Amino acid sequence: MNIRISLLITSSVVFIVVLCLAPVKTMNTAAQSYLEMSAQSTAELAQALPQSPTSNWHIETVDSDGGVGRYTSLALDGSNRPHVSYYDVSNSAIKYAWYNGTNWRIETVDGPGSLTSAISLALDGSDWPHISYCHNFNKLKYTWYNGTSWQIETVDSDGEVGSGNSLALDEAGHPHISYHDDNNDTALKYAWHDGADWHFEIVDSAGYTGWFTSLALDSAGHPHISYQDGGGNNDLKYAWYDGTDWRLETVDSLGSVGRNTSLALDKSDYPHISYYDHTNGVLKYARYDGTAWHLEIVDATGHTEYAYGSTSLVLDGSDHPHISYYTSNSQNLKYAWHDGADWQIETVDSVGDVGWGTSLALDELGQAHISYFDDTHDDLKYAYQAPSPPILLNKQVAPSSGLHNNGILTYTLILSGSNLSIRLWDPLPINVRYIDGSVTPPAVYSPTARAIIWQGKLPANTAQIIRFRVTPGITGSGSLSLSLPIVNTAWLTDTESDRSVSATAIVNGRFVYLPFVVRNR
């Protein structure tokens, strides 16, 4: 928490101004502590102090030209700009959209006639896109942009192959793809290009296996794959190449599990997997710590429908997992992340049936970016977190030459935070009286709450200034002597994120009173 204390002492009055950053839940406690001397009730405070959502999400429609946006795959380039591959069902085409810093650019990569059930996108060192996809349900295809034009080739056409494909690029920019062979081997297959030719391997053929694959390359360039064994067991399985042989193991076999897997490797190359438990209708997460697997339920309130949804897992700089997913019972796009102690879960978009085929990426600041399908409107949508501009509150009190009997205090509040939607709450202590009509619009004085209040949007390039006056109402002559200080605290809350700032002024004729300092909990 950042705290700044300014102390101004004159011959007869002391002003102490404290600026501190605090969450809303701490703000309520601190405000009550300050206002125990007032006549306001706890119920009045609870109604007046605003609550904020947990994240600053921005949502936009990227493509609405027909039925577009299924099977999305998202990647961020070196400038943290989004690139999305997806399926256009209206034209049976593979499409690609990217943001150039000003506008979204959209183009058709392959089609029409490119029926698909899975698409995977990766960006190379030059930020050029590479896409793998299942073509007409019987071919695994691969396309990439070389800086001039799109290049397309068929990787595998031996039977019904290519569903559930997952693409990763090695350090040389060569593609590696995991996928399912549904015809010849009903197996998990793996293809990679060495710069000259494609190579193929059957990784697992024990039963009807290799569904919902997710591929990652470790620090040595060796492949790791999560997938479902669908041959009656419906288990979550994990395969990795140790440099000599493929190693296979079952991660979770408690019911029908392992659908919609998403794999990420941490700094130690240990696997983390998000997946769907169909038996119990929950989102689950598995991680390996070098010795054993640990399984846990992330969200039991709504499940990911395996046919249309997905889970998408990434790890942040601390190796904490973040997961975007679709819940079929509420038809919402949701986002879960682990803060090091507990899972935090929020709904990102709930307008209509949204969240199908979600894909997640984190930028350099750890902010989440998600592509997904809006089934209600047949659109490709994109949601992202963005850091809010700083929210600042400065509180000034006059006169500075000392307060006398019959005197008046003038408070000046300077509010700044470019284009932020805010709420101001400045309750008055019991030992002062508001001077009618003295508050500067747009703020108003509420006699019921005995507070200066305002809700609105702050200007973009300047500050919002609000003034009001109070009087202690003590008659007589000479300097003012108070048995209790005049303590006045203003709270400014950003209503689009979980943050508030406060500014406190303490006035006394003869004594110095240190304020109660709000601390994070």
Side-chain angles (χ1 to χ4, degrees):
M1 178 182 67
N2 296 323
I3 301 176
R4 187 177 67 207
I5 300 180
S6 300
L7 181 64
L8 173 63
I9 304 178
T10 69
S11 58
S12 58
V13 62
V14 176
F15 298 104
I16 301 176
V17 177
V18 178
L19 300 180
C20 56
L21 182 65
V24 175
K25 61 182 180 182
T26 306
M27 178 183 70
N28 294 349
T29 303
Q32 185 62 37
S33 297
Y34 270 128
L35 298 172
E36 286 176 346
M37 67 186 74
S38 77
Q40 285 189 241
S41 67
T42 303
E44 288 175 327
L45 283 173
Q47 291 179 355
L49 292 174
Q51 300 297 318
S52 302
T54 57
S55 292
N56 188 26
W57 285 99
H58 302 263
I59 298 174
E60 56 187 280
T61 298
V62 177
D63 191 352
S64 59
D65 186 12
V68 292
R70 296 175 189 261
Y71 314 115
T72 78
S73 184
L74 168 72
L76 301 179
D77 62 26
S79 300
N80 292 315
R81 294 172 180 171
H83 299 240
V84 186
S85 60
Y86 57 102
Y87 181 54
D88 178 348
V89 68
S90 296
N91 298 292
S92 300
I94 308 299
K95 298 185 75 173
Y96 166 67
W98 79 101
Y99 188 71
N100 63 10
T102 304
N103 304 108
W104 282 96
R105 303 289 300 275
I106 298 173
E107 59 185 289
T108 297
V109 176
D110 192 3
S114 301
L115 296 174
T116 188
S117 61
I119 303 174
S120 184
L121 167 71
L123 302 179
D124 62 25
S126 300
D127 286 333
W128 301 129
H130 298 240
I131 304 171
S132 65
Y133 54 101
C134 179
H135 184 276
N136 287 331
F137 303 105
N138 59 11
K139 295 183 182 69
L140 174 65
K141 297 186 74 173
Y142 166 67
T143 180
W144 75 99
Y145 188 74
N146 63 9
T148 304
S149 61
W150 286 95
Q151 308 297 311
I152 301 176
E153 61 182 292
T154 297
V155 177
D156 191 349
S157 59
D158 186 16
E160 297 179 6
V161 295
S163 64
N165 65 84
S166 180
L167 169 69
L169 303 179
D170 59 28
E171 291 185 352
H174 299 150
H176 299 243
I177 308 172
S178 62
Y179 58 103
H180 173 68
D181 182 335
D182 194 38
N183 187 51
N184 296 316
D185 303 298
T186 60
L188 170 66
K189 296 185 74 173
Y190 168 64
W192 79 99
H193 200 278
D194 62 7
D197 299 297
W198 282 99
H199 302 269
F200 302 89
E201 295 185 45
I202 295 175
V203 178
D204 188 356
S205 60
Y208 201 52
T209 193
W211 297 93
F212 308 107
T213 81
S214 182
L215 169 69
L217 303 180
D218 63 25
S219 56
H222 296 152
H224 298 240
I225 306 171
S226 62
Y227 60 103
Q228 186 196 43
D229 176 6
N233 296 321
N234 293 323
D235 296 337
L236 171 65
K237 297 189 72 175
Y238 167 65
W240 79 102
Y241 188 71
D242 62 10
T244 304
D245 298 301
W246 282 96
R247 306 284 297 276
L248 309 178
E249 61 182 290
T250 298
V251 178
D252 190 353
S253 59
L254 300 176
S256 179
V257 294
R259 298 180 179 184
N260 299 110
T261 78
S262 183
L263 169 70
L265 302 180
D266 62 26
K267 294 183 180 67
S268 299
D269 287 331
Y270 295 147
H272 300 240
I273 307 172
S274 63
Y275 59 103
Y276 165 57
D277 180 339
H278 179 67
T279 298
N280 298 296
V282 298
L283 173 69
K284 297 185 75 174
Y285 164 71
R287 64 178 177 87
Y288 185 71
D289 63 4
T291 303
W293 284 95
H294 302 269
L295 311 179
E296 57 185 296
I297 295 174
V298 177
D299 189 351
T301 63
H303 64 276
T304 303
E305 175 58 46
Y306 75 94
Y308 306 115
S310 65
T311 72
S312 185
L313 167 71
V314 294
L315 303 178
D316 61 25
S318 300
D319 282 335
H320 295 153
H322 299 241
I323 307 171
S324 64
Y325 57 104
Y326 170 75
T327 57
S328 62
N329 64 337
S330 57
Q331 299 180 334
N332 294 337
L333 171 66
K334 299 186 74 174
Y335 172 61
W337 76 101
H338 202 279
D339 60 12
D342 299 297
W343 284 99
Q344 308 296 325
I345 299 175
E346 60 184 292
T347 298
V348 178
D349 192 353
S350 59
V351 181
D353 186 355
V354 292
W356 292 22
T358 172
S359 182
L360 169 69
L362 299 181
D363 62 28
E364 293 177 349
L365 298 177
Q367 305 286 336
H369 300 245
I370 306 174
S371 61
Y372 59 102
F373 176 58
D374 179 343
D375 184 52
T376 299
H377 301 97
D378 277 343
D379 294 340
L380 170 66
K381 297 187 74 175
Y382 166 64
Y384 65 98
Q385 293 174 315
S388 298
I391 177 173
L392 302 174
L393 174 62
N394 185 291
K395 191 178 185 72
Q396 301 175 1
V397 190
S400 60
S401 58
L403 186 62
H404 297 273
N405 294 336
N406 299 313
I408 293 175
L409 290 176
T410 300
Y411 290 92
T412 300
L413 304 176
I414 303 174
L415 290 53
S416 57
S418 182
N419 285 320
L420 291 179
S421 296
I422 60 93
R423 287 176 181 169
L424 172 66
W425 163 252
D426 192 348
L428 305 185
I430 193 63
N431 53 347
V432 299
R433 176 176 57 83
Y434 169 73
I435 297 178
D436 292 341
S438 65
V439 67
T440 303
V444 297
Y445 173 70
S446 169
T448 303
R450 296 198 75 250
I452 305 296
I453 58 176
W454 177 57
Q455 178 172 340
K457 186 177 286 290
L458 291 174
N461 299 312
T462 185
Q464 179 74 52
I465 299 177
I466 295 173
R467 292 186 175 88
F468 65 94
R469 295 188 296 167
V470 299
T471 177
I474 301 176
T475 59
S477 60
S479 299
L480 178 66
S481 177
L482 298 173
S483 60
L484 287 174
I486 297 175
V487 181
N488 182 248
T489 300
W491 300 95
L492 189 64
T493 300
D494 179 358
T495 59
E496 296 181 356
S497 64
D498 188 17
R499 56 185 187 148
S500 296
V501 291
S502 67
T504 298
I506 299 179
V507 180
N508 189 285
R510 296 185 301 172
F511 304 104
V512 175
Y513 286 80
L514 291 176
F516 180 91
V517 178
V518 178
R519 299 185 184 277
N520 283 320
R521 296 184 176 182

